[in-house]
Amino acid sequence: MRILVGSFHFYLISFLFSRANGFLTLRTPAYVSPFYNYSYLNLSSLSEAQAPKTARALNFSHNIIEKVTRSDLEGFDVLEVLDLSYNRIKDIEPGAFESLLRLISVNLSFNDKKLLVSGLPPHLKLLPTSKASGSVQLYEYFEKSSEAALEPSASAEELPRSGGLSVLQNLNSRLRRSPGNLLRRAEKNLTVSPTATSGPDFCTAPINGVLNLSHSQLSEEELTLKLDPDLCQVQLDNTLELDISHSDLEMDLLSLFILFLPMKNVQSIDASYNKLTINILDVEAICKFPFSKLVFLNISNNPINSLDTLCLPSTIKVIDLSFTNVSQIPPNFAKKMFNLEHMYVQGNHFIYTVRPDAVPTVPPGTVRINAISLVRNQAGTPIESLPKKVKYLKMSNCSIVELPEWFVGTMEELIFLDLSSNWISVLPDLPTSLQHLDISNSDIKIIPPRFKSLSNLTTFNIQNNKISALHPEYFPSTLTKCDISKNKLKMLTDVPEKLEYLNVSGNLIARLEPARHLPALANLDSSHNLISELPDHFGKSLPMLKYFNLSGNKISFLQRGSLPASLVELDISDNAITTIVEDTFGQLTSLSVLSAQGKHFFCNCDLYWFTNVYIHDPRVQIMGKENLRCSFPPARRGSLVGSSDLTLLRCSLGIQMAITACAAVLLVLTLTGLCWRFDGLWYVRMGWYWCMAKRKQYEKRPENKPFDAFISYSEQDANWTKENLLKKLENDGFKICYHERDFKPGHPVLGNIFYCIENSHKVLFVLSPSFVNSCWCQYELYFAEHRVLNENQDSLIMIVLEDLPPNSVPQKFSKLRKLLKRKTYLKWSPEEHKQKMFWHQLAAVLKTTNEPLVRAENRPAQDVYEME
């Protein structure tokens, strides 16, 4: 595509200042010389472009130039950079570069293979590349500068073999140290042959047309490489959406959009949350881009600061300039962005200052104040232009005091306007095309009669202002949705007839009583007012009402007919309602959601229908039922309504007596059956022996006890107890009481247990997981503990056969828990050398006399007897 001569004068600027930091340092920072780009113009000669002689850099790449003559370059006294790559140059007239005394770099790469360069000026040196066919490059030669020592070894062979990161580092390092590499493409052509590589690793492929580089913390150089047209053109052609948001990118908009030029099919660009700034140079006269499909641009949350020199593609239809620290919209903005349809500029600060055309003569000492603003703009309104095609305009939180006079006559296609959170005190004149208006969080006190002229308005949001009266005759007849909450309305008697949604919450309304039939109103929010009751005919005046919010008022009772039968959702939370009766809510057959949280309910039998029938109705979802609280009777004040004993049994005395009698008979029958089925008499007898054993007092205890020890163990541990413990102790001369051998036949089991414990010097407990699951072991443990307390002698010996996990001891073994914490115990080990120590320690304990209980408990805890 041929671009007009002189377009994109800024193209080379971006090469010099955004693509390679450190390429060129200006000698006079306060003055910037022009740079011109004439690439892709199908030029056949240099003179055809008629470039200005004051140019410091010229780009003639990608044309069809075949010859360079001395006359083509005469007069370019300040020219420093010349790019002639990607042409068809076969011949260069000798001495063509001699007059260019300030020339630093000439790029002749990718021209005719037979091109020969002769008669070079002394300050330039030729560096041919080994692989790039016909490509040569001229660099300024500094004999004493190490910066000019660019070795020919940096050939095309290096780049394809390197990884993405190493390639990036290699290119960046060469860009920094070589003053000759002022053009990024020249550096690339010096090292890469189009036929020698298929593309570096740093080219990111789009996914479903989306090239996502967000949150990547890209530097300007890294982004330049990822959007390189010669290395990544395939990826760029497939990109429909580009996302570089949240990348902390620092560059100006002009330089950024130069990088986007190769992306021919891009439709959407998101560059929000970076550090983008506006370009310094004003290039409005030559601001033309080849983009034909770009329609969306998001540059919000960037320090743009000004739109005066903005240069963007005119095809953009949606732009987001929110939170860009812009203080005014300049007059040329509408001319530049004439296709704009959606515009978002919220979060900026536009301060309007009234400037009268003529200042009248006033007496001395008179002070006249036209407007007060935080920032005084001497030029008048900061909103000096807006594109006529804008349909959606969002200017919330912009410190706007009023709209400019031309607004209503210019914005004739405006459909959506958001002016919320500004300092507007008077409703402005607005175009009649408007359908949605949001002017909430302002300082408006009245709605003027001219508001009715907005004949297409359907949605009106004016919440959180200072409206004290509502005049339906001032509202457009097309209005279907109105939010006038958080104002100062004291009554609501009438509303527009076609209104479908009305929000009057947060006002001072004490009574709701529409003066006429409202067949269209389907959603009414009157929460957080001062309403104490609803009239009985209120429901009939709103036959189509489906959503009704009455929360936060002072209603104590809702009578029959006060609610429309058409209701689908109802909110009566945080009122003073004491009961919900069937006579009122039973008629609401269409109700599906009821919000009724509150703390004033009377939890008596009047609430029985709600708590037992209505709250369990599957057709109705009760919201906030976990926050329903009782206020009466006093004993239940603050308790949950759902936990009230409002049952049929409590509210009916006859049923209560009948159920009580039936329950008593059933209980007797159940106990009788359980005793018969599970040998209840036997358990009673066992309990009797247990009680007798606990209460028995021995006046004469056996002085000479026949047994040295009694062994308590579980049946699962019987083999070990009989084959190891019993056999070993009896072989050592100890007399052991063993229940299978020494229990007296015919006596109760508990009696035998008690007898053996009382007639043994010691009681051995073989502990294991099966021990804690045995009820008989529990009896033996309790009897032994009872004996210890009676005799005041510690005679218990604990043997841990298997480890007891901390959570394996049931709660009923509370005594065992205490004993394990208090007493020293022996632990059995399968290792033979530890078993010897075990038997030695057990024999020693059995031979000792029983210590008094008090002294045993006060003794410091000892470690487990176990060989390490």
Side-chain angles (χ1 to χ4, degrees):
M1 176 181 179
R2 183 178 181 87
I3 306 175
L4 295 177
V5 176
S7 67
F8 302 123
H9 289 186
F10 53 87
Y11 183 79
L12 210 51
I13 297 176
S14 71
F15 273 131
L16 298 176
F17 295 102
S18 72
R19 291 202 170 192
N21 290 335
F23 274 6
L24 180 62
T25 301
L26 297 180
R27 295 177 175 85
T28 56
Y31 172 74
V32 180
S33 299
F35 302 83
Y36 301 92
N37 173 51
Y38 298 101
S39 60
Y40 298 96
L41 296 178
N42 291 327
L43 299 178
S44 58
S45 66
L46 299 182
S47 58
E48 184 180 347
Q50 298 182 358
K53 302 298 183 180
T54 57
R56 290 182 57 190
L58 292 174
N59 185 358
F60 287 97
S61 64
H62 297 84
N63 283 288
I64 56 175
I65 301 172
E66 296 183 355
K67 185 176 181 180
V68 178
T69 64
R70 297 184 64 177
S71 59
D72 290 338
L73 299 176
E74 286 183 352
F76 292 94
D77 298 331
V78 296
L79 187 63
E80 298 177 1
V81 180
L82 178 61
D83 189 351
L84 296 171
S85 61
Y86 292 94
N87 279 281
R88 303 175 184 176
I89 300 175
K90 301 178 181 178
D91 181 32
I92 297 178
E93 184 178 350
F97 302 114
E98 288 183 356
S99 61
L100 306 178
L101 301 179
R102 300 186 61 179
L103 193 62
I104 296 176
S105 173
V106 180
N107 188 356
L108 291 168
S109 57
F110 298 104
N111 280 282
D112 193 273
K113 297 180 180 181
K114 299 179 181 180
L115 174 62
L116 297 176
V117 180
S118 60
L120 295 177
H123 64 282
L124 292 179
K125 125 184 199 181
L126 176 63
L127 288 178
T129 58
S130 60
K131 295 292 182 182
S133 174
S135 64
V136 295
Q137 201 159 21
L138 305 178
Y139 290 90
E140 184 175 4
Y141 179 66
F142 299 93
E143 294 181 351
K144 298 181 180 181
S145 175
S146 61
E147 296 178 350
L150 180 63
E151 297 297 332
S153 61
S155 63
E157 297 177 354
E158 296 181 9
L159 188 56
R161 292 196 301 264
S162 303
L165 183 59
S166 62
V167 170
L168 186 62
Q169 294 171 343
N170 185 23
L171 288 176
N172 285 341
S173 62
R174 276 188 276 167
L175 290 176
R176 286 193 297 267
R177 68 173 182 261
S178 175
N181 294 330
L182 294 177
L183 294 176
R184 176 196 52 78
R185 182 173 294 138
E187 164 65 15
K188 184 162 68 265
N189 291 340
L190 177 66
T191 58
V192 181
S193 171
T195 61
T197 179
S198 60
D201 294 339
F202 47 74
C203 294
T204 304
I207 301 176
N208 297 326
V210 179
L211 182 57
N212 190 353
L213 301 177
S214 61
H215 299 87
S216 55
Q217 301 298 316
L218 286 175
S219 66
E220 184 177 342
E221 291 80 4
E222 292 169 339
L223 181 62
T224 300
L225 291 175
K226 287 184 176 293
L227 302 181
D228 191 296
D230 294 315
L231 300 178
C232 309
Q233 190 61 52
V234 176
Q235 291 85 347
L236 299 182
D237 288 343
N238 294 329
T239 299
L240 302 179
E241 298 180 15
L242 173 64
D243 188 354
I244 56 173
S245 61
H246 300 84
S247 294
D248 205 26
L249 183 63
E250 296 187 31
M251 58 191 308
D252 63 83
L253 285 176
L254 275 178
S255 302
L256 182 64
F257 267 83
I258 292 303
L259 299 181
F260 300 155
L261 286 176
M263 307 172 70
K264 302 175 183 178
N265 299 315
V266 67
Q267 301 174 8
S268 170
I269 297 176
D270 186 352
S272 58
Y273 292 93
N274 285 292
K275 296 181 180 179
L276 302 180
T277 58
I278 194 67
N279 44 285
I280 300 176
L281 296 179
D282 187 1
V283 291
E284 179 180 357
I286 57 173
C287 182
K288 298 179 181 179
F289 283 88
F291 295 111
S292 60
K293 300 181 180 180
L294 182 62
V295 294
F296 176 87
L297 175 63
N298 184 358
I299 53 175
S300 62
N301 295 275
N302 281 285
I304 304 297
N305 297 331
S306 173
L307 301 177
D308 293 335
T309 58
L310 185 69
C311 180
L312 295 173
S314 59
T315 58
I316 296 176
K317 294 185 178 181
V318 181
I319 189 170
D320 192 343
L321 292 166
S322 306
F323 301 97
T324 54
N325 201 27
V326 175
S327 60
Q328 69 173 135
I329 301 178
N332 58 359
F333 181 80
K335 181 180 178 182
K336 293 178 181 179
M337 311 299 295
F338 55 86
N339 283 316
L340 207 60
E341 295 181 359
H342 295 243
M343 183 175 177
Y344 306 93
V345 291
Q346 63 264 32
N348 293 293
H349 295 282
F350 304 111
I351 308 300
Y352 183 87
T353 303
V354 177
R355 198 163 43 87
D357 296 333
V359 180
T361 304
V362 295
T366 301
V367 177
R368 295 181 62 87
I369 300 178
N370 292 318
I372 298 177
S373 60
L374 298 180
V375 179
R376 182 173 180 81
N377 185 355
Q378 297 298 333
T381 173
I383 307 175
E384 300 187 70
S385 72
L386 287 172
K388 295 182 179 181
K389 294 184 179 180
V390 170
K391 294 180 174 60
Y392 294 83
L393 179 60
K394 191 166 185 179
M395 304 180 71
S396 60
N397 192 23
C398 288
S399 303
I400 297 175
V401 176
E402 60 180 320
L403 296 178
E405 296 179 358
W406 53 262
F407 187 87
V408 63
T410 302
M411 311 303 294
E412 296 179 349
E413 299 183 19
L414 191 63
I415 296 176
F416 180 99
L417 178 61
D418 186 353
L419 292 172
S420 59
S421 301
N422 283 292
W423 300 339
I424 300 175
S425 58
V426 178
L427 195 67
D429 292 332
L430 299 168
T432 57
S433 60
L434 204 62
Q435 298 179 10
H436 182 112
L437 174 61
D438 188 346
I439 198 166
S440 58
N441 301 302
S442 293
D443 196 32
I444 298 175
K445 297 179 176 62
I446 61 171
I447 298 177
R450 53 185 166 82
F451 181 63
K452 190 174 183 179
S453 63
L454 301 180
S455 56
N456 293 302
L457 192 67
T458 59
T459 303
F460 182 38
N461 187 356
I462 193 171
Q463 67 171 352
N464 198 18
N465 279 271
K466 298 180 180 179
I467 304 296
S468 57
L470 188 64
H471 300 281
E473 64 273 15
Y474 296 163
F475 283 73
S477 60
T478 56
L479 196 65
T480 59
K481 184 176 181 180
C482 180
D483 188 344
I484 195 169
S485 59
K486 299 180 181 179
N487 279 274
K488 296 184 178 181
L489 295 178
K490 295 183 179 180
M491 67 172 57
L492 182 65
T493 57
D494 209 354
V495 295
E497 185 175 355
K498 295 183 179 180
L499 209 60
E500 299 176 3
Y501 173 90
L502 177 62
N503 187 349
V504 291
S505 62
N507 282 280
L508 304 174
I509 300 174
R511 184 176 177 84
L512 285 177
E513 190 170 359
R516 61 181 177 181
H517 193 68
L518 298 175
L521 192 61
N523 192 320
L524 176 59
D525 188 346
S526 58
S527 59
H528 298 91
N529 280 281
L530 304 175
I531 303 172
S532 58
E533 64 174 337
L534 292 180
D536 55 3
H537 63 277
F538 182 79
K540 296 180 180 180
S541 62
L542 302 171
M544 298 302 294
L545 192 66
K546 298 182 182 300
Y547 306 94
F548 194 13
N549 190 348
L550 282 168
S551 63
N553 284 284
K554 298 182 178 181
I555 300 174
S556 59
F557 183 74
L558 292 170
Q559 55 186 328
R560 182 185 179 91
S562 60
L563 297 175
S566 58
L567 279 178
V568 176
E569 292 187 16
L570 174 63
D571 191 347
I572 55 173
S573 305
D574 301 322
N575 277 276
I577 295 176
T578 59
T579 185
I580 296 177
V581 296
E582 183 179 7
D583 192 39
T584 301
F585 287 84
Q587 311 300 320
L588 306 180
T589 56
S590 299
L591 192 65
S592 61
V593 178
L594 173 63
S595 299
Q597 64 184 17
K599 56 182 180 180
H600 300 284
F601 288 92
F602 285 5
C603 295
N604 51 25
C605 288
D606 292 337
L607 205 61
Y608 169 80
W609 176 81
F610 174 72
T611 58
N612 292 274
V613 179
Y614 199 61
I615 205 171
H616 300 294
D617 191 342
R619 298 172 300 175
V620 182
Q621 181 181 3
I622 310 295
M623 307 296 293
K625 57 185 176 182
E626 65 278 0
N627 293 320
L628 297 175
R629 304 275 177 182
C630 300
S631 64
F632 183 84
R636 294 197 51 80
R637 181 172 298 169
S639 61
L640 294 176
V641 170
S643 64
S644 302
D645 299 330
L646 301 179
T647 61
L648 187 62
L649 174 63
R650 182 174 180 180
C651 295
S652 176
L653 182 60
I655 295 177
Q656 182 178 0
M657 295 178 63
I659 293 176
T660 303
C662 293
V665 173
L666 182 62
L667 179 61
V668 172
L669 293 176
T670 302
L671 292 176
T672 303
L674 290 175
C675 290
W676 181 264
R677 174 66 179 80
F678 297 105
D679 297 324
L681 295 177
W682 185 84
Y683 281 105
V684 171
R685 187 167 58 252
M686 294 287 287
W688 170 256
Y689 279 113
W690 168 253
C691 293
M692 292 300 294
K694 291 284 289 181
R695 297 175 58 87
K696 187 177 181 181
Q697 300 294 331
Y698 290 92
E699 298 178 357
K700 295 182 179 180
R701 297 185 178 89
E703 298 179 356
N704 298 321
K705 296 182 180 182
F707 301 107
D708 292 314
F710 168 69
I711 302 177
S712 175
Y713 62 94
S714 172
E715 288 297 328
Q716 282 76 6
D717 303 325
N719 290 335
W720 181 88
T721 304
K722 186 175 182 179
E723 298 298 330
N724 292 279
L725 183 61
L726 180 63
K727 185 180 295 185
K728 175 64 176 176
L729 294 179
E730 289 185 342
N731 289 339
D732 290 344
F734 295 103
K735 191 173 183 179
I736 305 301
C737 180
Y738 188 63
H739 81 275
E740 292 183 1
R741 180 185 63 198
D742 299 315
F743 274 16
K744 296 179 180 181
H747 287 252
V749 177
L750 290 178
N752 277 321
I753 293 174
F754 196 79
Y755 170 80
C756 290
I757 291 176
E758 288 292 327
N759 288 275
S760 300
H761 289 282
K762 303 286 186 180
V763 181
L764 300 179
F765 291 97
V766 180
L767 303 180
S768 67
S770 58
F771 179 90
V772 299
N773 294 321
S774 172
C775 292
W776 292 114
C777 293
Q778 182 183 9
Y779 294 152
E780 294 168 354
L781 179 64
Y782 274 33
F783 285 170
E785 182 72 2
H786 174 73
R787 172 199 163 177
V788 169
L789 295 175
N790 285 342
E791 297 182 358
N792 194 26
Q793 291 182 347
D794 193 0
S795 59
L796 307 183
I797 300 174
M798 303 293 177
I799 298 176
V800 178
L801 181 61
E802 297 180 22
D803 290 334
L804 297 176
N807 298 327
S808 65
V809 182
Q811 189 65 33
K812 62 184 180 179
F813 274 91
S814 58
K815 292 183 178 295
L816 179 59
R817 291 173 179 265
K818 296 177 182 179
L819 290 174
L820 289 177
K821 293 180 180 180
R822 188 183 68 200
K823 292 185 63 60
T824 301
Y825 57 87
L826 300 174
K827 185 174 182 181
W828 172 256
S829 176
E831 299 179 15
E832 185 176 353
H833 70 281
K834 292 185 179 182
Q835 293 178 9
K836 294 179 179 180
M837 180 60 69
F838 173 83
W839 296 121
H840 174 75
Q841 293 172 343
L842 179 58
V845 174
L846 289 174
K847 294 177 181 179
T848 59
T849 58
N850 296 332
E851 296 182 359
L853 179 62
V854 176
R855 190 174 65 185
E857 290 184 351
N858 294 336
R859 184 179 56 191
Q862 302 176 14
D863 295 332
V864 178
Y865 287 130
E866 180 182 5
M867 295 298 295
E868 298 296 336

